[in-house]
Amino acid sequence: MKRTLLIAPAVLLAFSLAGCTGGVQASPAASPAANPAPAPPASSPDAAANTADRVLAQSEEGQDLGNGRPIVSYDGLMVRRRVVIAVHTALDADVAGIRKRLDTAAAARGTALSAISPDVLEPAVLQQMVPEVIVALPSTATPDDGRTIVRAVTEEDTGKLGVKNFYVLPVLVHDLRFSVTAADPGAVSAAVDREGIVSDALGNYTTVARGGQLSISYTGPLLGDDIVESVRGGISRQVHVPTADVGVGPRSASGTGVDMATEPPWEAEQLEGQAIHPHTE
């Protein structure tokens, strides 16, 4: 793992389909003791404004080099590549209808889609488009899988639902597990939830409390080092141990991680001109 100031995101893939383009990622599976702390749905009217505010705040606080990406040293297997389908829509779009079509097309192909925060998109993308609908494919899915789903969705006119275009995009997500030894991990889990610091920092997470161990798992937008440390501090206070005793590692030791120091710059121009409006006839 390396501490590095990240300069730009991964390469963007945009896919055009006779009126659309497509992409997606999965949320963590529920654990025996799940403590969901849901973030505002992607379809919230305030989603775009909130995302823009967060990107601006990060820049003003000096946590990046002006492109909205935070300082991330928890990388390697803790950072994964995923595929998302982002849907750019009109203000009066039928968000529920669009999501239903995506879910139906995915289910017909044995795939389950999960909602994910627009914050997984690169800052340069968010400056141009904050999707009202964004879903993630499973961790093993490829961009071609996303395109197949979009093709199926666009067999019927989606312009009438308010779709402007679809994008199939690769994104980077943090895939973390915080762990700490505790005499009563269930009580610690409840205390962590009551304090709210972990839920404020992570949004959605799951916990497992058993065998003298508390584990908190998170898959979502990249977290800056300061956020990771705030989560460790919130957990350590409830266990009454030093922050250093709260471990941070990958949710899985298999697969391929990402070295953030080698991520190439992403050029915002790559998104321009990729949107194709769906047919309305």
Side-chain angles (χ1 to χ4, degrees):
M1 295 186 292
K2 302 179 181 179
R3 170 173 287 273
T4 176
L5 287 176
L6 300 175
I7 299 177
V11 178
L12 173 92
L13 298 179
F15 177 68
S16 300
L17 293 171
C20 33
T21 38
V24 44
Q25 179 213 353
S27 63
S31 299
N35 294 298
S43 58
S44 166
D46 295 328
N50 291 341
T51 297
D53 289 345
R54 281 192 292 272
V55 170
L56 179 60
Q58 284 184 336
S59 179
E60 290 177 344
E61 291 169 8
Q63 295 182 27
D64 62 7
L65 296 182
N67 65 356
R69 178 177 279 185
I71 298 172
V72 177
S73 61
Y74 294 93
D75 59 352
L77 291 177
M78 291 178 281
V79 176
R80 304 289 182 142
R81 299 188 192 280
R82 299 295 291 269
V83 177
V84 301
I85 296 173
V87 188
H88 190 199
T89 65
L91 293 177
D92 59 350
D94 180 358
V95 172
I98 296 168
R99 177 61 194 269
K100 182 178 180 180
R101 286 203 185 179
L102 286 168
D103 286 337
T104 299
R109 287 150 185 80
T111 298
L113 304 178
S114 56
I116 193 166
S117 168
D119 290 356
V120 297
L121 297 177
E122 295 291 354
V125 176
L126 293 174
Q127 289 174 3
Q128 300 183 51
M129 179 271 294
V130 178
E132 285 296 310
V133 178
I134 179 170
V135 289
L137 276 70
S139 59
T140 56
T142 67
D144 281 344
D145 294 327
R147 293 169 184 145
T148 298
I149 292 172
V150 171
R151 285 192 186 99
V153 170
T154 56
E155 287 177 356
E156 298 181 28
D157 174 41
T158 52
K160 293 178 181 178
L161 296 178
V163 174
K164 290 186 175 181
N165 51 79
F166 293 90
Y167 292 99
V168 174
L169 309 172
V171 299
L172 298 178
V173 300
H174 248 140
D175 206 28
L176 303 174
R177 176 169 286 128
F178 299 87
S179 58
V180 67
T181 300
D184 188 346
V188 173
S189 176
V192 165
D193 290 340
R194 283 195 302 271
E195 185 183 49
I197 288 179
V198 173
S199 60
D200 288 345
L202 301 183
N204 292 320
Y205 63 92
T206 58
T207 66
V208 175
R210 63 187 176 203
Q213 190 83 5
L214 172 66
S215 296
I216 296 179
S217 299
Y218 164 84
T219 297
L222 293 177
L223 304 175
D225 287 355
D226 58 331
I227 299 299
V228 173
E229 292 306 316
S230 75
V231 171
R232 296 179 73 194
I235 296 171
S236 68
R237 279 193 299 277
Q238 302 305 329
V239 190
H240 306 295
V241 298
T243 300
D245 288 353
V246 179
V248 185
R251 294 187 66 177
S252 173
S254 63
T256 304
V258 176
D259 180 353
M260 298 299 289
T262 65
E263 280 301 294
W266 186 85
E267 299 177 0
E269 309 82 66
Q270 295 184 44
L271 187 64
E272 296 176 0
Q274 297 297 325
I276 297 180
H277 298 271
H279 295 299
T280 57
E281 299 179 347

